[in-house]
Amino acid sequence: MSATEDAPGPAAGQGRVDSVSRRGFLARTAAASAGLAVSAPVAQSAVAAPPATAAPAIESPGENLIDIALRVNGRTERLRIDPRVTLLDALRDRLHLTGTKKGCDRGQCGACTVHVDGRRVLSCLTLAGSVQGRSVTTIEGLASAGGGGGGGRLHPMQQAFIDQDAFQCGFCTSGQIMSAVAVVAEGNARSDAEIREAMCGNICRCGAYENIVAAIKAARHGKAAG
Amino acid sequence: MRAHDFTIARTVGEALSRSGDGSAYLAGGTTLVDLMKLDVMTPQRVVDINRLPMRGVHRDRRGLHIGALERMSDIAGYPLVKAGYPVIAEALLASASGQLRNMASIGGNLLQRSRCGYFRDTATPCNKREPGTGCSALNGENRMHAILGTSNSCVSTHPSDLAVALVALDAAVQLRDRSGVRTVRLADFYRLPGTTPHLEHDLRPGELVTGVMVPRLDWARRSTYLKIRDRTSYEFALTSAAVAVNLSGRTIRDVRLAVGGVGTRPWRLPAVEDALRNRPLRQDVVEAAAARAVADARPLAHNRFKVSLVQRTIVRAVMSLKG
């Protein structure tokens, strides 16, 4: 298995829909055959009274769209979204940046970890509306953001994950790498125990933990392993 | 998630004017967004308060002041906190994960909701979520639930580690609404479930937590937070203890002690403190004092182990502060 073919590196460009990609094919097939998605009816809470300051009652989903602008991997993206859209869903479904994964959608697994203003956060518990005006870095943007130097070279942490065989299925890996880069930047990677503790919010069902720790140790001084 | 109106407040005035029944304030989102996805919390309006000027940490004669919008990770690393009140830093670092600590605010941490599986599942009866429907945990899965402060309406544990440390230190929360500002001692702020478990604290509709004030306590430098759980990390407490000791030689001149993981709210232990004051910091002394912690304990079918575990937690935490 060639390391470069399977590298969890940056997607081509910014992940715009690629006519020959698996994702693009499935998306078009589904759209052609599926009926119109029906939104769940809005249930007015029986317990809560309307706010005292005459906010318009919400009649149906989609009535209260918000326009947001955020910087993602160095580009300004403008979106019109339902307020319920999480940063995770905005990245994946609207911006086609599918490197960030939805593992639990509950803030418990860490697969959705991205950087907002340089700090690692869970995108599944972040409303996209809350990060307007802020700077988001995803796995796709890591190479140019942190020392890969662009031009197809990986961030040293990405390279270390490959060199140390730090993933099996790869689903948690984007989140692991984003978290690991932040852990090193936070200064919390000085010992095995410290690394394990600092990385506790990233779960790996395949159990690649030993090699993840090894990768972080290999990359923590900023140099890619050989 | 239910459809809602989203708005960003740029001033405290804007936030307060958009608040009220059916509204929720959004800071880090680690409680609100989670529970909105589960339909446990269903605000019609979400007011993002992250731009409000409620940050900063400073110390004065009265004590340590922490803005409610400070993030857990930042406070845990603050030199004033680490040196002056290590129990607070340790409680924060024992909580959640790195990502969650970067997102979660101090105010939000104190207001976080129960982790009870029945509360979080709209398919099961829960008096806290829907008053009058019953308590599924009372005779259900209750291993993680409380042994102190419970009622037949609710046995859910308060999940915040930070709150335990702050209650031990007699901290207070600063609140603000349209009628003005007020300060409430945190230990009094949280309510016992009684027959109204849906009322968890003293907050009025639309009221903002603006900050936390920890009274000056020079000997809080000798303090610690011990969290006991099934895993080494990334889990809520089975039992926990926050303790500060004023040690003079081997004698405990004064002590502050509260426990978590066992109470429906952070549980201060004045009876244990009394049994420790002016006594030597010695294993047998502390064990005898710790026994007072569970005098009124009401264990449930699956959490009987907490009765002895919390005592041992207290002993280990206090003994770890020996000079």
Side-chain angles (χ1 to χ4, degrees), chain A residues 21-60:
Chain A
S21 77
R22 211 164 33 213
R23 182 172 300 278
F25 173 78
L26 287 172
R28 274 193 294 282
T29 308
S33 59
L36 208 58
V38 177
S39 306
V42 174
Q44 292 283 339
S45 167
V47 174
T53 53
I58 296 166
E59 297 298 329
S60 60

PDB file of all heavy atoms in Angstrom, chain A residues 21-60:
ATOM      1  N   SER A  21     -14.802  12.001  -8.681  1.00  0.00           N
ATOM      2  CA  SER A  21     -14.652  11.461  -7.333  1.00  0.00           C
ATOM      3  C   SER A  21     -15.832  10.559  -7.000  1.00  0.00           C
ATOM      4  O   SER A  21     -16.928  10.704  -7.511  1.00  0.00           O
ATOM      5  CB  SER A  21     -14.557  12.583  -6.297  1.00  0.00           C
ATOM      6  OG  SER A  21     -15.843  13.112  -6.065  1.00  0.00           O
ATOM      7  N   ARG A  22     -15.577   9.610  -6.087  1.00  0.00           N
ATOM      8  CA  ARG A  22     -16.605   8.721  -5.582  1.00  0.00           C
ATOM      9  C   ARG A  22     -17.751   9.514  -4.962  1.00  0.00           C
ATOM     10  O   ARG A  22     -18.911   9.233  -5.155  1.00  0.00           O
ATOM     11  CB  ARG A  22     -15.976   7.825  -4.510  1.00  0.00           C
ATOM     12  CG  ARG A  22     -16.582   6.479  -4.401  1.00  0.00           C
ATOM     13  CD  ARG A  22     -15.687   5.533  -3.615  1.00  0.00           C
ATOM     14  NE  ARG A  22     -14.921   6.160  -2.576  1.00  0.00           N
ATOM     15  CZ  ARG A  22     -13.713   5.762  -2.212  1.00  0.00           C
ATOM     16  NH1 ARG A  22     -13.138   4.762  -2.855  1.00  0.00           N
ATOM     17  NH2 ARG A  22     -13.050   6.360  -1.250  1.00  0.00           N
ATOM     18  N   ARG A  23     -17.384  10.543  -4.221  1.00  0.00           N
ATOM     19  CA  ARG A  23     -18.388  11.333  -3.542  1.00  0.00           C
ATOM     20  C   ARG A  23     -19.303  12.017  -4.555  1.00  0.00           C
ATOM     21  O   ARG A  23     -20.513  12.036  -4.385  1.00  0.00           O
ATOM     22  CB  ARG A  23     -17.712  12.372  -2.642  1.00  0.00           C
ATOM     23  CG  ARG A  23     -18.675  13.216  -1.859  1.00  0.00           C
ATOM     24  CD  ARG A  23     -17.944  14.073  -0.859  1.00  0.00           C
ATOM     25  NE  ARG A  23     -17.191  13.260   0.087  1.00  0.00           N
ATOM     26  CZ  ARG A  23     -17.730  12.680   1.158  1.00  0.00           C
ATOM     27  NH1 ARG A  23     -19.005  12.837   1.410  1.00  0.00           N
ATOM     28  NH2 ARG A  23     -16.981  11.968   1.954  1.00  0.00           N
ATOM     29  N   GLY A  24     -18.702  12.555  -5.608  1.00  0.00           N
ATOM     30  CA  GLY A  24     -19.502  13.273  -6.601  1.00  0.00           C
ATOM     31  C   GLY A  24     -20.459  12.329  -7.305  1.00  0.00           C
ATOM     32  O   GLY A  24     -21.608  12.650  -7.566  1.00  0.00           O
ATOM     33  N   PHE A  25     -19.998  11.140  -7.628  1.00  0.00           N
ATOM     34  CA  PHE A  25     -20.839  10.168  -8.327  1.00  0.00           C
ATOM     35  C   PHE A  25     -22.031   9.783  -7.469  1.00  0.00           C
ATOM     36  O   PHE A  25     -23.173   9.780  -7.944  1.00  0.00           O
ATOM     37  CB  PHE A  25     -20.006   8.914  -8.670  1.00  0.00           C
ATOM     38  CG  PHE A  25     -20.840   7.801  -9.246  1.00  0.00           C
ATOM     39  CD1 PHE A  25     -21.258   7.841 -10.573  1.00  0.00           C
ATOM     40  CD2 PHE A  25     -21.224   6.719  -8.463  1.00  0.00           C
ATOM     41  CE1 PHE A  25     -22.031   6.820 -11.097  1.00  0.00           C
ATOM     42  CE2 PHE A  25     -21.988   5.697  -8.992  1.00  0.00           C
ATOM     43  CZ  PHE A  25     -22.401   5.744 -10.320  1.00  0.00           C
ATOM     44  N   LEU A  26     -21.760   9.483  -6.192  1.00  0.00           N
ATOM     45  CA  LEU A  26     -22.840   9.056  -5.302  1.00  0.00           C
ATOM     46  C   LEU A  26     -23.831  10.184  -5.080  1.00  0.00           C
ATOM     47  O   LEU A  26     -25.038   9.955  -5.037  1.00  0.00           O
ATOM     48  CB  LEU A  26     -22.265   8.572  -3.969  1.00  0.00           C
ATOM     49  CG  LEU A  26     -21.561   7.213  -4.018  1.00  0.00           C
ATOM     50  CD1 LEU A  26     -20.856   6.932  -2.695  1.00  0.00           C
ATOM     51  CD2 LEU A  26     -22.554   6.111  -4.337  1.00  0.00           C
ATOM     52  N   ALA A  27     -23.310  11.397  -4.956  1.00  0.00           N
ATOM     53  CA  ALA A  27     -24.188  12.546  -4.701  1.00  0.00           C
ATOM     54  C   ALA A  27     -25.152  12.735  -5.868  1.00  0.00           C
ATOM     55  O   ALA A  27     -26.338  12.950  -5.683  1.00  0.00           O
ATOM     56  CB  ALA A  27     -23.360  13.800  -4.465  1.00  0.00           C
ATOM     57  N   ARG A  28     -24.630  12.646  -7.088  1.00  0.00           N
ATOM     58  CA  ARG A  28     -25.502  12.864  -8.253  1.00  0.00           C
ATOM     59  C   ARG A  28     -26.507  11.734  -8.388  1.00  0.00           C
ATOM     60  O   ARG A  28     -27.664  11.951  -8.725  1.00  0.00           O
ATOM     61  CB  ARG A  28     -24.673  12.987  -9.530  1.00  0.00           C
ATOM     62  CG  ARG A  28     -24.193  14.408  -9.775  1.00  0.00           C
ATOM     63  CD  ARG A  28     -23.652  14.550 -11.175  1.00  0.00           C
ATOM     64  NE  ARG A  28     -22.435  13.749 -11.338  1.00  0.00           N
ATOM     65  CZ  ARG A  28     -21.251  14.124 -10.885  1.00  0.00           C
ATOM     66  NH1 ARG A  28     -21.119  15.265 -10.240  1.00  0.00           N
ATOM     67  NH2 ARG A  28     -20.202  13.363 -11.059  1.00  0.00           N
ATOM     68  N   THR A  29     -26.091  10.518  -8.114  1.00  0.00           N
ATOM     69  CA  THR A  29     -27.003   9.377  -8.207  1.00  0.00           C
ATOM     70  C   THR A  29     -28.133   9.502  -7.204  1.00  0.00           C
ATOM     71  O   THR A  29     -29.298   9.289  -7.532  1.00  0.00           O
ATOM     72  CB  THR A  29     -26.241   8.065  -7.938  1.00  0.00           C
ATOM     73  OG1 THR A  29     -25.116   8.030  -8.792  1.00  0.00           O
ATOM     74  CG2 THR A  29     -27.135   6.870  -8.181  1.00  0.00           C
ATOM     75  N   ALA A  30     -27.777   9.893  -5.977  1.00  0.00           N
ATOM     76  CA  ALA A  30     -28.787  10.032  -4.928  1.00  0.00           C
ATOM     77  C   ALA A  30     -29.780  11.129  -5.273  1.00  0.00           C
ATOM     78  O   ALA A  30     -30.980  10.972  -5.101  1.00  0.00           O
ATOM     79  CB  ALA A  30     -28.097  10.321  -3.590  1.00  0.00           C
ATOM     80  N   ALA A  31     -29.272  12.225  -5.779  1.00  0.00           N
ATOM     81  CA  ALA A  31     -30.147  13.370  -6.080  1.00  0.00           C
ATOM     82  C   ALA A  31     -31.134  13.002  -7.174  1.00  0.00           C
ATOM     83  O   ALA A  31     -32.279  13.419  -7.166  1.00  0.00           O
ATOM     84  CB  ALA A  31     -29.306  14.578  -6.484  1.00  0.00           C
ATOM     85  N   ALA A  32     -30.671  12.202  -8.100  1.00  0.00           N
ATOM     86  CA  ALA A  32     -31.544  11.860  -9.226  1.00  0.00           C
ATOM     87  C   ALA A  32     -32.670  10.938  -8.786  1.00  0.00           C
ATOM     88  O   ALA A  32     -33.788  11.029  -9.286  1.00  0.00           O
ATOM     89  CB  ALA A  32     -30.720  11.205 -10.329  1.00  0.00           C
ATOM     90  N   SER A  33     -32.396  10.049  -7.843  1.00  0.00           N
ATOM     91  CA  SER A  33     -33.376   9.032  -7.511  1.00  0.00           C
ATOM     92  C   SER A  33     -34.217   9.360  -6.291  1.00  0.00           C
ATOM     93  O   SER A  33     -35.317   8.865  -6.152  1.00  0.00           O
ATOM     94  CB  SER A  33     -32.686   7.686  -7.291  1.00  0.00           C
ATOM     95  OG  SER A  33     -31.745   7.821  -6.244  1.00  0.00           O
ATOM     96  N   ALA A  34     -33.702  10.203  -5.389  1.00  0.00           N
ATOM     97  CA  ALA A  34     -34.440  10.491  -4.153  1.00  0.00           C
ATOM     98  C   ALA A  34     -35.500  11.537  -4.389  1.00  0.00           C
ATOM     99  O   ALA A  34     -35.366  12.381  -5.259  1.00  0.00           O
ATOM    100  CB  ALA A  34     -33.463  10.972  -3.077  1.00  0.00           C
ATOM    101  N   GLY A  35     -36.553  11.477  -3.615  1.00  0.00           N
ATOM    102  CA  GLY A  35     -37.556  12.531  -3.671  1.00  0.00           C
ATOM    103  C   GLY A  35     -37.081  13.733  -2.894  1.00  0.00           C
ATOM    104  O   GLY A  35     -36.003  13.739  -2.347  1.00  0.00           O
ATOM    105  N   LEU A  36     -37.916  14.722  -2.837  1.00  0.00           N
ATOM    106  CA  LEU A  36     -37.568  15.939  -2.109  1.00  0.00           C
ATOM    107  C   LEU A  36     -37.529  15.616  -0.620  1.00  0.00           C
ATOM    108  O   LEU A  36     -38.427  14.992  -0.103  1.00  0.00           O
ATOM    109  CB  LEU A  36     -38.643  16.990  -2.387  1.00  0.00           C
ATOM    110  CG  LEU A  36     -38.229  18.442  -2.328  1.00  0.00           C
ATOM    111  CD1 LEU A  36     -37.102  18.716  -3.305  1.00  0.00           C
ATOM    112  CD2 LEU A  36     -39.429  19.322  -2.674  1.00  0.00           C
ATOM    113  N   ALA A  37     -36.467  16.039   0.073  1.00  0.00           N
ATOM    114  CA  ALA A  37     -36.389  15.808   1.523  1.00  0.00           C
ATOM    115  C   ALA A  37     -37.430  16.676   2.202  1.00  0.00           C
ATOM    116  O   ALA A  37     -37.606  17.836   1.864  1.00  0.00           O
ATOM    117  CB  ALA A  37     -34.996  16.143   2.027  1.00  0.00           C
ATOM    118  N   VAL A  38     -38.151  16.095   3.149  1.00  0.00           N
ATOM    119  CA  VAL A  38     -39.171  16.862   3.859  1.00  0.00           C
ATOM    120  C   VAL A  38     -38.638  17.221   5.237  1.00  0.00           C
ATOM    121  O   VAL A  38     -38.177  16.369   5.962  1.00  0.00           O
ATOM    122  CB  VAL A  38     -40.464  16.025   4.009  1.00  0.00           C
ATOM    123  CG1 VAL A  38     -41.500  16.797   4.810  1.00  0.00           C
ATOM    124  CG2 VAL A  38     -41.008  15.665   2.631  1.00  0.00           C
ATOM    125  N   SER A  39     -38.694  18.500   5.573  1.00  0.00           N
ATOM    126  CA  SER A  39     -38.213  18.924   6.888  1.00  0.00           C
ATOM    127  C   SER A  39     -39.210  18.535   7.954  1.00  0.00           C
ATOM    128  O   SER A  39     -40.404  18.477   7.705  1.00  0.00           O
ATOM    129  CB  SER A  39     -38.022  20.432   6.933  1.00  0.00           C
ATOM    130  OG  SER A  39     -37.187  20.843   5.882  1.00  0.00           O
ATOM    131  N   ALA A  40     -38.700  18.262   9.137  1.00  0.00           N
ATOM    132  CA  ALA A  40     -39.583  17.952  10.264  1.00  0.00           C
ATOM    133  C   ALA A  40     -40.385  19.192  10.616  1.00  0.00           C
ATOM    134  O   ALA A  40     -39.883  20.305  10.537  1.00  0.00           O
ATOM    135  CB  ALA A  40     -38.752  17.502  11.455  1.00  0.00           C
ATOM    136  N   PRO A  41     -41.645  19.038  10.965  1.00  0.00           N
ATOM    137  CA  PRO A  41     -42.447  20.225  11.333  1.00  0.00           C
ATOM    138  C   PRO A  41     -41.873  20.871  12.582  1.00  0.00           C
ATOM    139  O   PRO A  41     -41.340  20.207  13.444  1.00  0.00           O
ATOM    140  CB  PRO A  41     -43.838  19.643  11.604  1.00  0.00           C
ATOM    141  CG  PRO A  41     -43.611  18.198  11.845  1.00  0.00           C
ATOM    142  CD  PRO A  41     -42.397  17.801  11.089  1.00  0.00           C
ATOM    143  N   VAL A  42     -42.005  22.166  12.656  1.00  0.00           N
ATOM    144  CA  VAL A  42     -41.523  22.895  13.819  1.00  0.00           C
ATOM    145  C   VAL A  42     -42.567  22.781  14.911  1.00  0.00           C
ATOM    146  O   VAL A  42     -43.728  23.057  14.695  1.00  0.00           O
ATOM    147  CB  VAL A  42     -41.294  24.380  13.483  1.00  0.00           C
ATOM    148  CG1 VAL A  42     -40.925  25.131  14.741  1.00  0.00           C
ATOM    149  CG2 VAL A  42     -40.222  24.521  12.425  1.00  0.00           C
ATOM    150  N   ALA A  43     -42.133  22.321  16.077  1.00  0.00           N
ATOM    151  CA  ALA A  43     -43.080  22.226  17.190  1.00  0.00           C
ATOM    152  C   ALA A  43     -42.836  23.387  18.127  1.00  0.00           C
ATOM    153  O   ALA A  43     -41.763  23.537  18.667  1.00  0.00           O
ATOM    154  CB  ALA A  43     -42.883  20.905  17.918  1.00  0.00           C
ATOM    155  N   GLN A  44     -43.817  24.227  18.289  1.00  0.00           N
ATOM    156  CA  GLN A  44     -43.677  25.309  19.253  1.00  0.00           C
ATOM    157  C   GLN A  44     -43.686  24.684  20.633  1.00  0.00           C
ATOM    158  O   GLN A  44     -44.531  23.884  20.939  1.00  0.00           O
ATOM    159  CB  GLN A  44     -44.858  26.281  19.138  1.00  0.00           C
ATOM    160  CG  GLN A  44     -44.880  27.066  17.832  1.00  0.00           C
ATOM    161  CD  GLN A  44     -43.871  28.199  17.833  1.00  0.00           C
ATOM    162  OE1 GLN A  44     -43.435  28.641  18.890  1.00  0.00           O
ATOM    163  NE2 GLN A  44     -43.487  28.663  16.661  1.00  0.00           N
ATOM    164  N   SER A  45     -42.717  25.075  21.448  1.00  0.00           N
ATOM    165  CA  SER A  45     -42.662  24.507  22.781  1.00  0.00           C
ATOM    166  C   SER A  45     -43.901  24.919  23.565  1.00  0.00           C
ATOM    167  O   SER A  45     -44.266  26.079  23.608  1.00  0.00           O
ATOM    168  CB  SER A  45     -41.399  24.999  23.484  1.00  0.00           C
ATOM    169  OG  SER A  45     -41.484  24.713  24.840  1.00  0.00           O
ATOM    170  N   ALA A  46     -44.553  23.942  24.201  1.00  0.00           N
ATOM    171  CA  ALA A  46     -45.753  24.279  24.968  1.00  0.00           C
ATOM    172  C   ALA A  46     -45.384  24.993  26.257  1.00  0.00           C
ATOM    173  O   ALA A  46     -46.176  25.718  26.831  1.00  0.00           O
ATOM    174  CB  ALA A  46     -46.531  23.011  25.279  1.00  0.00           C
ATOM    175  N   VAL A  47     -44.161  24.805  26.704  1.00  0.00           N
ATOM    176  CA  VAL A  47     -43.773  25.338  28.003  1.00  0.00           C
ATOM    177  C   VAL A  47     -43.290  26.777  27.912  1.00  0.00           C
ATOM    178  O   VAL A  47     -43.587  27.605  28.750  1.00  0.00           O
ATOM    179  CB  VAL A  47     -42.647  24.459  28.624  1.00  0.00           C
ATOM    180  CG1 VAL A  47     -42.127  25.073  29.907  1.00  0.00           C
ATOM    181  CG2 VAL A  47     -43.188  23.056  28.875  1.00  0.00           C
ATOM    182  N   ALA A  48     -42.534  27.071  26.847  1.00  0.00           N
ATOM    183  CA  ALA A  48     -41.920  28.393  26.784  1.00  0.00           C
ATOM    184  C   ALA A  48     -42.869  29.399  26.161  1.00  0.00           C
ATOM    185  O   ALA A  48     -43.463  29.153  25.119  1.00  0.00           O
ATOM    186  CB  ALA A  48     -40.634  28.323  25.967  1.00  0.00           C
ATOM    187  N   ALA A  49     -42.992  30.558  26.785  1.00  0.00           N
ATOM    188  CA  ALA A  49     -43.762  31.646  26.188  1.00  0.00           C
ATOM    189  C   ALA A  49     -42.871  32.376  25.192  1.00  0.00           C
ATOM    190  O   ALA A  49     -41.659  32.301  25.280  1.00  0.00           O
ATOM    191  CB  ALA A  49     -44.219  32.606  27.292  1.00  0.00           C
ATOM    192  N   PRO A  50     -43.460  33.083  24.219  1.00  0.00           N
ATOM    193  CA  PRO A  50     -42.612  33.844  23.273  1.00  0.00           C
ATOM    194  C   PRO A  50     -41.822  34.906  24.027  1.00  0.00           C
ATOM    195  O   PRO A  50     -42.273  35.387  25.056  1.00  0.00           O
ATOM    196  CB  PRO A  50     -43.614  34.488  22.319  1.00  0.00           C
ATOM    197  CG  PRO A  50     -44.912  33.790  22.552  1.00  0.00           C
ATOM    198  CD  PRO A  50     -44.880  33.243  23.943  1.00  0.00           C
ATOM    199  N   PRO A  51     -40.645  35.248  23.530  1.00  0.00           N
ATOM    200  CA  PRO A  51     -39.831  36.245  24.231  1.00  0.00           C
ATOM    201  C   PRO A  51     -40.579  37.559  24.379  1.00  0.00           C
ATOM    202  O   PRO A  51     -41.360  37.931  23.513  1.00  0.00           O
ATOM    203  CB  PRO A  51     -38.595  36.426  23.341  1.00  0.00           C
ATOM    204  CG  PRO A  51     -38.609  35.246  22.429  1.00  0.00           C
ATOM    205  CD  PRO A  51     -40.010  34.770  22.327  1.00  0.00           C
ATOM    206  N   ALA A  52     -40.316  38.259  25.455  1.00  0.00           N
ATOM    207  CA  ALA A  52     -41.041  39.489  25.738  1.00  0.00           C
ATOM    208  C   ALA A  52     -40.780  40.540  24.657  1.00  0.00           C
ATOM    209  O   ALA A  52     -41.630  41.347  24.358  1.00  0.00           O
ATOM    210  CB  ALA A  52     -40.630  40.030  27.106  1.00  0.00           C
ATOM    211  N   THR A  53     -39.576  40.545  24.090  1.00  0.00           N
ATOM    212  CA  THR A  53     -39.260  41.534  23.066  1.00  0.00           C
ATOM    213  C   THR A  53     -39.666  40.991  21.717  1.00  0.00           C
ATOM    214  O   THR A  53     -38.876  40.425  20.985  1.00  0.00           O
ATOM    215  CB  THR A  53     -37.757  41.814  23.029  1.00  0.00           C
ATOM    216  OG1 THR A  53     -37.099  40.545  22.891  1.00  0.00           O
ATOM    217  CG2 THR A  53     -37.313  42.476  24.305  1.00  0.00           C
ATOM    218  N   ALA A  54     -40.906  41.102  21.387  1.00  0.00           N
ATOM    219  CA  ALA A  54     -41.535  40.701  20.119  1.00  0.00           C
ATOM    220  C   ALA A  54     -40.610  40.166  19.027  1.00  0.00           C
ATOM    221  O   ALA A  54     -40.432  40.803  18.015  1.00  0.00           O
ATOM    222  CB  ALA A  54     -42.287  41.929  19.594  1.00  0.00           C
ATOM    223  N   ALA A  55     -40.019  39.011  19.240  1.00  0.00           N
ATOM    224  CA  ALA A  55     -39.295  38.363  18.151  1.00  0.00           C
ATOM    225  C   ALA A  55     -40.343  37.727  17.248  1.00  0.00           C
ATOM    226  O   ALA A  55     -41.340  37.226  17.731  1.00  0.00           O
ATOM    227  CB  ALA A  55     -38.368  37.316  18.709  1.00  0.00           C
ATOM    228  N   PRO A  56     -40.107  37.710  15.956  1.00  0.00           N
ATOM    229  CA  PRO A  56     -41.108  37.086  15.097  1.00  0.00           C
ATOM    230  C   PRO A  56     -41.236  35.605  15.430  1.00  0.00           C
ATOM    231  O   PRO A  56     -40.233  34.940  15.649  1.00  0.00           O
ATOM    232  CB  PRO A  56     -40.556  37.289  13.683  1.00  0.00           C
ATOM    233  CG  PRO A  56     -39.119  37.602  13.861  1.00  0.00           C
ATOM    234  CD  PRO A  56     -38.963  38.210  15.201  1.00  0.00           C
ATOM    235  N   ALA A  57     -42.443  35.108  15.514  1.00  0.00           N
ATOM    236  CA  ALA A  57     -42.644  33.683  15.767  1.00  0.00           C
ATOM    237  C   ALA A  57     -42.081  32.909  14.589  1.00  0.00           C
ATOM    238  O   ALA A  57     -42.131  33.357  13.451  1.00  0.00           O
ATOM    239  CB  ALA A  57     -44.120  33.393  15.940  1.00  0.00           C
ATOM    240  N   ILE A  58     -41.519  31.743  14.875  1.00  0.00           N
ATOM    241  CA  ILE A  58     -40.886  30.986  13.815  1.00  0.00           C
ATOM    242  C   ILE A  58     -41.938  30.083  13.191  1.00  0.00           C
ATOM    243  O   ILE A  58     -42.395  29.137  13.798  1.00  0.00           O
ATOM    244  CB  ILE A  58     -39.709  30.185  14.385  1.00  0.00           C
ATOM    245  CG1 ILE A  58     -38.683  31.198  14.896  1.00  0.00           C
ATOM    246  CG2 ILE A  58     -39.098  29.292  13.331  1.00  0.00           C
ATOM    247  CD1 ILE A  58     -37.639  30.632  15.767  1.00  0.00           C
ATOM    248  N   GLU A  59     -42.336  30.402  11.988  1.00  0.00           N
ATOM    249  CA  GLU A  59     -43.444  29.692  11.368  1.00  0.00           C
ATOM    250  C   GLU A  59     -42.994  28.382  10.759  1.00  0.00           C
ATOM    251  O   GLU A  59     -43.673  27.386  10.828  1.00  0.00           O
ATOM    252  CB  GLU A  59     -44.074  30.581  10.274  1.00  0.00           C
ATOM    253  CG  GLU A  59     -44.684  31.869  10.817  1.00  0.00           C
ATOM    254  CD  GLU A  59     -45.822  31.595  11.781  1.00  0.00           C
ATOM    255  OE1 GLU A  59     -46.517  30.575  11.609  1.00  0.00           O
ATOM    256  OE2 GLU A  59     -45.995  32.389  12.732  1.00  0.00           O
ATOM    257  N   SER A  60     -41.857  28.402  10.088  1.00  0.00           N
ATOM    258  CA  SER A  60     -41.417  27.172   9.436  1.00  0.00           C
ATOM    259  C   SER A  60     -39.910  27.230   9.284  1.00  0.00           C
ATOM    260  O   SER A  60     -39.313  28.305   9.275  1.00  0.00           O
ATOM    261  CB  SER A  60     -42.083  27.042   8.064  1.00  0.00           C
ATOM    262  OG  SER A  60     -41.727  28.130   7.248  1.00  0.00           O
TER     263      SER A  60
END
